């Protein structure tokens, strides 16, 4: 057992955290209970804080460089936690997952290339493609039996003239942990049309009890497919504000090409604290994801039962501490194009006093949805549900 207190709020107003201190900017008022940006409200695990404290005591904050032990720790984690065998020399350090996607787009696609994403999806997927001057191609996920599935017919059509696909595995915001069959089908389509797959696996460790994450690597062994995976410990261990991640690029030529792009940005090899936190996470953190997700499962179940008689349908997640709420039955409009027409968001802010993520920012299929962050003490989840029920005239 780690000594983490899942009932203590480590983030609070004035602590310089986005979740509380950007409320006025994001929601137009400061009194909402914030359950939006994807970090956790309770403290990071004790072995992370301890490792950082030791480094702090040394007072050694010069330029940092990941050593062999660092890459070994990542490789061991991927092997022990996910059954994925990676050679340490196939790992490239990156500042974060989204910057790594930007580097991949620049390294592997041509100017104006078409890049496929599958919305609703983590909103920077849209911007990171546009920011590199590439063209977005959207293949919306399909809702079937209360969960998202990929549209392989749509994908086949878009793949014909696309150069890359950004995959979110596990999926934010829908919480799918894609199956090996789904990933293999995706790999086959992308191999056939020479579409490079970049798999974002930042939520890889955050599966609910009884669910396993399938690394895209397990499906990517098909001849001819070019792919890479990017991940980071920031979501699992609540160190997003410290930064630091890694890419796995198995093909030596692609790895050299990606690394050239990375070096060309002159970002250095990582921050002192990012490297310390990552090594502590991957060498000492084996028990933590299970403990964490047992707590998150309690919160997930509390929300699911609290909304059971409301016009809100939760999409039961297999992974992530995020819960996607289908609010379309509330009949409130949600139009990004018209800033005056945001009744759904205003209801949550003004009537329920809740700061959730608006579904529409994850793309058009997110219209009418809201995303709630479950990584908070259970008492806050209960409070949020009370506020929501009261706003809807229940209780
Ligand atoms: C799917 C996904 N990818 C990437 C990130 C952010 O990664 P980073 O902070 O390492 O750029 C997030 C954060 O919520 C995420 O949900």
């Amino acid at each position: 057992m780690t000594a983490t207190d899942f009932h203590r709020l480590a983030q609070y107003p004035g602590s310089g955290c986005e979740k509380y201190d950007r409320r006025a900017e994001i929601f137009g008022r400061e009194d909402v209970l914030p359950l939006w940006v994807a970090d956790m409200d309770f403290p990071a695990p004790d072995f992370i804080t301890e490792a950082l404290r030791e480094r702090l005591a040394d007072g050694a904050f010069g330029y940092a460089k990941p050593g062999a032990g660092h890459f070994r720790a990542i490789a061991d984690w991927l092997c022990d936690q996910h059954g994925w065998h990676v050679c340490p020399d196939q790992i490239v350090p990156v500042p974060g997952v989204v910057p790594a996607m930007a580097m991949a787009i620049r390294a592997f696609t041509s100017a104006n290339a078409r890049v496929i994403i599958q919305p609703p999806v983590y909103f920077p997927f849209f911007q990171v493609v546009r920011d590199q001057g590439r063209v977005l191609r959207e293949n919306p996920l399909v809702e079937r039996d209360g969960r998202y599935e990929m549209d392989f017919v749509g994908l086949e059509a878009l793949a014909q003239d696309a150069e890359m696909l950004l995959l979110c595995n596990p999926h934010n915001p829908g919480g799918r942990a894609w199956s090996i069959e789904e990933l293999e089908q995706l790999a086959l389509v992308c191999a056939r049309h020479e579409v490079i797959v970049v798999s974002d696996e930042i939520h890889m460790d955050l599966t609910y009890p009884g669910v396993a994450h399938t690394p895209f690597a397990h499906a990517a062994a098909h001849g001819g497919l070019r792919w890479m995976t990017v991940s980071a410990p920031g979501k699992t261990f609540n160190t997003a504000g410290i930064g630091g991640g890694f890419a796995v690029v198995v093909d030596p030529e692609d790895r050299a090409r990606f690394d050239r792009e990375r070096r060309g940005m002159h970002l250095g090899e990582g921050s002192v604290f990012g490297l310390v936190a990552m090594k502590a996470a991957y060498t000492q953190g084996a028990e933590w994801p299970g403990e964490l997700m047992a707590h998150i499962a309690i919160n997930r179940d509390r929300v699911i039962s609290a909304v059971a008689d409301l016009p809100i349908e939760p999409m039961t997640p297999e992974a992530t501490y995020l819960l996607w709420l289908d609010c379309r039955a509330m009949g409130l409009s949600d139009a990004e194009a018209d800033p005056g027409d945001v009744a759904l968001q205003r209801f949550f802010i003004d009537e329920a006093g809740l700061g959730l993520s608006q579904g529409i920012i994850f793309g058009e299929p997110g219209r009418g949805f809201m995303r709630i962050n479950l990584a908070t003490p259970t008492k806050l989840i209960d409070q949020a549900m009370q506020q929501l029920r009261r706003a809807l005239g229940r209780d």
Side-chain angles (χ1 to χ4, degrees):
M1 281 285 284
T2 55
T4 301
D5 182 356
F6 292 116
H7 304 289
R8 178 162 82 80
L9 269 179
Q11 307 205 101
Y12 47 85
S15 62
C17 65
E18 271 203 59
K19 193 177 279 165
Y20 279 86
D21 291 351
R22 283 186 69 200
R23 284 181 297 181
E25 177 193 334
I26 303 284
F27 304 107
R29 51 197 290 177
E30 292 199 336
D31 56 355
V32 290
L33 179 58
L35 299 166
W36 61 291
V37 62
D39 58 21
M40 308 190 210
D41 286 338
F42 28 77
D46 51 333
F47 48 87
I48 302 272
T49 349
E50 207 39 57
L52 292 170
R53 195 175 288 127
E54 273 174 30
R55 186 62 187 229
L56 211 50
D58 283 347
F61 313 131
Y63 293 117
K65 180 180 173 353
H70 192 89
F71 296 113
R72 179 81 269 156
I74 299 171
D76 286 349
W77 181 266
L78 295 175
C79 178
D80 297 346
Q81 299 290 320
H82 304 295
W84 178 16
H85 300 276
V86 167
C87 292
D89 63 9
Q90 294 170 337
I91 299 169
V92 183
V94 295
V97 163
V98 178
M101 286 197 281
M103 292 171 194
I105 293 168
R106 298 169 84 93
F108 298 125
T109 68
S110 54
N112 298 316
R114 292 173 174 151
V115 177
I116 303 171
I117 62 169
Q118 306 196 94
V121 72
Y122 179 54
F123 47 92
F125 274 42
F126 295 82
Q127 202 53 38
V128 76
V129 171
R130 293 194 192 107
D131 284 344
Q132 315 318 312
R134 273 49 167 187
V135 180
L136 270 177
R137 283 287 179 261
E138 297 185 31
N139 183 47
L141 296 172
V142 183
E143 260 179 274
R144 206 164 284 135
D145 300 328
R147 66 180 204 165
Y148 282 122
E149 293 183 1
M150 297 188 206
D151 173 5
F152 290 107
V153 175
L155 183 61
E156 186 84 44
L158 290 182
Q160 318 237 355
D161 60 359
E163 293 184 24
M164 180 173 274
L165 176 142
L166 303 180
L167 172 69
C168 193
N169 177 39
H171 179 248
N172 170 11
R176 278 301 315 280
W178 302 113
S179 68
I180 185 68
E181 291 78 17
E182 290 168 302
L183 295 175
E184 277 179 349
Q185 210 170 338
L186 179 114
L188 277 172
V189 174
C190 289
R192 195 157 43 240
H193 297 288
E194 298 183 11
V195 172
I196 300 169
V197 178
V198 177
S199 184
D200 169 352
E201 304 197 2
I202 198 167
H203 295 279
M204 64 186 178
D205 307 309
L206 302 174
T207 48
Y208 284 92
V211 181
H213 165 64
T214 307
F216 180 71
H218 289 171
H222 298 284
L225 179 69
R226 290 173 70 199
W227 64 280
M228 61 179 279
T229 291
V230 289
S231 192
K235 292 280 162 247
T236 309
F237 296 96
N238 202 16
T239 55
I242 296 178
F246 61 91
V248 178
V249 195
V250 172
D251 180 81
E253 274 178 37
D254 280 346
R255 188 163 61 249
R257 199 160 153 182
F258 178 76
D259 204 33
R260 256 197 317 277
E261 187 67 44
R262 180 186 74 93
R263 287 177 191 283
M265 294 191 173
H266 300 268
L267 293 164
E269 298 290 306
S271 81
V272 171
F273 293 117
L275 294 173
V276 167
M278 192 185 304
K279 192 159 172 203
Y282 289 150
T283 52
Q284 300 174 58
E287 289 179 24
W288 161 261
E291 291 170 20
L292 168 69
M293 291 311 287
H295 171 80
I296 302 292
I298 293 170
N299 290 356
R300 172 197 60 181
D301 296 344
R302 295 284 254 254
V303 174
I304 290 176
S305 71
V307 301
D309 59 346
L310 305 182
I312 294 176
E313 196 61 49
M315 195 176 264
T316 306
E318 297 164 313
T320 81
Y321 53 68
L322 309 162
L323 181 58
W324 193 229
L325 302 171
D326 181 352
C327 305
R328 288 173 294 184
M330 289 172 67
L332 297 175
S333 62
D334 181 17
E336 198 182 36
D338 175 3
D341 189 13
V342 286
L344 180 63
Q345 195 197 19
R346 292 301 344 155
F347 170 84
F348 274 87
I349 297 170
D350 298 328
E351 309 298 324
L354 296 177
L356 309 190
S357 302
Q358 215 186 341
I360 190 78
I361 65 174
F362 298 83
E364 185 55 37
R367 181 185 298 281
F369 287 75
M370 299 293 288
R371 192 193 73 176
I372 184 168
N373 182 339
L374 301 169
T376 198
T378 303
K379 66 172 190 285
L380 287 196
I381 291 292
D382 288 345
Q383 184 187 325
M385 290 303 104
Q386 253 175 27
Q387 291 178 202
L388 180 59
R389 293 185 59 79
R390 209 170 295 136
L392 283 164
R394 310 293 166 100
D395 293 354

